[in-house]
Amino acid sequence: MRSLIDCAESDLIVALRQGDLTAFNELYFRYVNHLLSFAQSYLKDFTEAEEIVQETFIKIWENRKQLDSSKNFKSYLFISVRNSILNRIRNRHRNLRLDEVPEEAVLTESKAIYNLVYQELENTAMGLIEDLPEVQQRVFKLSRLEGMSNDQIATKLNLSKRTIEHHIYLATKYLKKQLVKDPTVSLSLLISLLV
């Protein structure tokens, strides 16, 4: 039985840092299926995906004292799995000569790497959006993710158009500042989210 199912993620991280195996198990059960699906979608091999996810959780346990409860743990997990996938793909082809690699394999892996990077950037951006105050978050999502106009949002939320504009301005300013700090953020993702 999952006794910590309703526990906040940050509290679980604090407990995990202290060696609480129950907290570790709860975090494992929260994310294992998502991580397996993520890894398998790029590796196309369930066993290999399972190995990577298991190795990731072993590293989490071994390095639990270094975890930061103020950081987004879910993003950290997905980045760790993504890095392991990229390492696995790179190592798989390290000893191959270029003429031995079929062209379709190169194209497939290039697309997989592109998709992994894009997924990570999208996860980073969505994590940052989740950090916004509740009203700013809702206004930003309605505006940028659902494509509603400021007038439509104002009507829906029963706020003035000026208030909506101010929330979008504050949210955009915060997200630009946070995303520009991350050297892996592509300009196209930044523009697509903030324009």
Side-chain angles (χ1 to χ4, degrees):
M1 174 142 172
R2 292 171 57 187
S3 60
L4 300 176
I5 197 166
D6 295 323
C7 199
E9 184 178 276
S10 58
D11 295 334
L12 291 171
I13 300 300
V14 170
L16 174 58
R17 288 187 60 173
Q18 297 168 356
D20 186 335
L21 190 56
T22 308
F24 174 79
N25 288 336
E26 177 57 34
L27 289 166
Y28 176 85
F29 285 114
R30 282 187 189 185
Y31 297 114
V32 69
N33 290 330
H34 297 292
L35 292 170
L36 283 170
S37 296
F38 176 71
Q40 189 176 5
S41 70
Y42 294 103
L43 295 170
K44 308 298 184 218
D45 180 342
F46 182 77
T47 304
E48 201 171 13
E50 195 173 39
E51 283 176 20
I52 284 177
V53 171
Q54 294 302 326
E55 289 168 6
T56 299
F57 277 104
I58 290 168
K59 288 176 189 171
I60 295 290
W61 178 257
E62 290 172 346
N63 300 308
R64 64 188 175 274
K65 293 185 188 292
Q66 284 77 41
L67 293 174
D68 184 348
S69 61
S70 68
K71 302 287 184 189
N72 186 321
F73 184 70
K74 182 178 180 181
S75 293
Y76 176 75
L77 283 173
F78 277 91
I79 289 168
S80 297
V81 169
R82 185 229 37 198
N83 290 341
S84 295
I85 292 169
L86 292 173
N87 288 338
R88 180 94 30 130
I89 291 170
R90 186 187 66 237
N91 292 339
R92 197 184 285 160
H93 297 293
R94 182 172 278 160
N95 296 325
L96 287 178
R97 291 191 346 237
L98 188 56
D99 60 343
E100 295 175 336
V101 179
E103 186 176 337
E104 63 271 2
V106 173
L107 294 174
T108 301
E109 287 189 8
S110 295
K111 185 177 178 184
I113 290 169
Y114 171 81
N115 288 340
L116 278 171
V117 170
Y118 184 83
Q119 184 66 45
E120 178 197 342
L121 293 173
E122 187 175 22
N123 288 342
T124 300
M126 293 309 290
L128 290 171
I129 291 170
E130 297 297 323
D131 290 342
L132 291 170
E134 187 178 334
V135 176
Q136 270 183 34
Q137 182 183 134
R138 191 155 181 224
V139 168
F140 187 83
K141 284 180 177 179
L142 290 171
S143 173
R144 298 303 194 260
L145 302 180
E146 295 184 27
M148 292 178 70
S149 71
N150 292 351
D151 289 328
Q152 291 171 319
I153 298 168
T155 302
K156 180 175 181 142
L157 299 180
N158 199 23
L159 296 170
S160 73
K161 183 178 175 184
R162 180 74 183 121
T163 301
I164 299 303
E165 291 168 351
H166 186 66
H167 281 303
I168 291 172
Y169 167 77
L170 292 175
T172 303
K173 182 178 173 183
Y174 169 77
L175 292 171
K176 280 182 186 176
K177 182 179 177 185
Q178 297 303 314
L179 289 171
V180 169
K181 287 181 186 178
D182 187 344
T184 64
V185 171
S186 73
L187 185 58
S188 59
L189 176 66
L190 188 63
I191 290 169
S192 68
L193 277 173
L194 302 178
V195 173

